[in-house]
Amino acid sequence: QVQLVESGGGLVQPGGSLRLSCTASGSFFRINAMGWYRQAPGKERELVARISSGGSINYADSVKGRFTISRDNAKNMVYLQMDSLKPEDTAVYYCQATITTTTMYVRDYGGKGTLVTVSS
C-alpha cells in the first residue's frame, strides 16, 4: 500500500516562508510525477506545482516566482518552498504522486493534507 505523508504546515505572517515536505512510502515500482495541490475554504482544489520524474516543472500562475517545487528521488520526497506568502495562500495543501505500482498499474495517490494559514 502506498502512503503519502505531508509535513511542514502551520501559521505564518504575510511575507513569511514555509517549507512543505511529502514522503512516499510503501511498495511500488516507480514514482512518476509528484506535485502539490491546495484547497482553500469554499473553493475547489487547484494545482499549485508539479514536477515530473525528469525534472520538468509547472506552477500555477498565482505562485510563480514565490514557490519552488523540488524532489529527492533517492528519498521518495517532494518539497514545496513557499516564500512571500500572502493571506490568499491560506489553504490545505495536499501532496500528490503518480506512481507505477508493483503490478505495473499507473495510479494517482494523495496525502491527507497539511494546513497552511497566512495571517497577521
Side-chain angles (χ1 to χ4, degrees):
Q1 186 72 9
V2 177
Q3 283 191 320
L4 299 177
V5 178
E6 304 96 337
S7 63
L11 173 64
V12 63
Q13 292 186 342
S17 297
L18 279 176
R19 189 191 194 212
L20 305 183
S21 301
C22 172
T23 304
S25 62
S27 297
F28 46 84
F29 178 71
R30 180 177 60 225
I31 300 176
N32 303 308
M34 302 186 82
W36 293 93
Y37 288 74
R38 68 185 180 186
Q39 187 165 18
K43 295 188 177 181
E44 294 186 355
R45 190 173 297 194
E46 62 175 355
L47 173 68
V48 176
R50 188 169 173 85
I51 182 169
S52 72
S53 57
S56 296
I57 293 174
N58 296 102
Y59 292 105
D61 288 342
S62 59
V63 307
K64 283 180 180 177
R66 300 188 299 121
F67 290 10
T68 303
I69 189 171
S70 61
R71 62 190 286 175
D72 185 331
N73 292 328
K75 296 181 179 179
N76 296 327
M77 295 187 71
V78 64
Y79 307 96
L80 187 68
Q81 177 66 40
M82 304 185 294
D83 299 316
S84 303
L85 282 160
K86 303 175 181 180
E88 51 263 44
D89 294 318
T90 295
V92 178
Y93 284 71
Y94 299 90
C95 177
Q96 183 271 342
T98 301
I99 291 176
T100 301
T101 68
T102 55
T103 54
M104 297 301 152
Y105 284 99
V106 179
R107 291 185 55 186
D108 288 334
Y109 292 86
K112 293 183 179 181
T114 185
L115 177 62
V116 172
T117 303
V118 185
S119 176
S120 54

